């Protein structure tokens, strides 16, 4: 099986982690193992989501771009964790 190298988009201004981790959907409890790039984007998306939910200023466009990145780069993880 060929490994696919993922890259974060140029607009991404979050932290790029060295390692991945298992993440749990906050509503369903389902878990999914993410690599370091996916985990970095996941945390970025969740941070933007929390800002929005709390009524704090946030860049909704970047949130949408992050969700779109996930759908494109790991649709299975998107369905389990973010859909």
């Amino acid at each position: 099986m060929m490994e696919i190298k993922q890259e974060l988009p140029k607009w991404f201004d979050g932290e790029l982690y060295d390692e991945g981790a298992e993440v749990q959907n906050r509503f369903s409890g389902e878990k999914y193992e993410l690599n370091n790039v996916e985990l970095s984007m996941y945390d970025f998306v969740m941070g933007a989501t929390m800002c929005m939910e709390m009524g704090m200023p946030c860049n909704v466009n970047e949130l949408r771009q992050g969700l779109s990145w996930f759908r494109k780069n790991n649709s299975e993880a998107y369905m389990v964790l973010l859909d």
Side-chain angles (χ1 to χ4, degrees):
M1 185 150 97
M2 198 168 100
E3 185 177 332
I4 298 171
K5 174 127 172 84
Q6 294 172 318
E7 291 185 14
L8 292 166
K10 290 178 182 165
W11 56 262
F12 179 83
D13 65 354
E15 180 180 350
L16 174 57
Y17 301 138
D18 293 328
E19 297 181 10
E22 185 177 69
V23 177
Q24 185 172 358
N25 180 302
R26 63 184 178 151
F27 300 113
S28 71
E30 279 186 89
K31 296 178 180 178
Y32 200 92
E33 187 74 30
L34 300 177
N35 66 34
N36 66 315
V37 175
E38 294 164 343
L39 183 60
S40 299
M41 182 61 79
Y42 175 81
D43 280 355
F44 179 84
V45 166
M46 293 308 294
T49 300
M50 285 186 199
C51 284
M52 232 174 68
E53 289 173 351
M54 293 174 18
M56 297 171 62
C58 65
N59 188 329
V60 175
N61 189 43
E62 286 185 354
L63 170 59
R64 288 185 184 132
Q65 287 177 308
L67 291 170
S68 179
W69 181 94
F70 240 100
R71 279 192 297 272
K72 178 182 173 192
N73 287 276
N74 190 337
S75 59
E76 186 176 328
Y78 174 82
M79 295 300 288
V80 170
L81 299 172
L82 298 166
D83 190 35

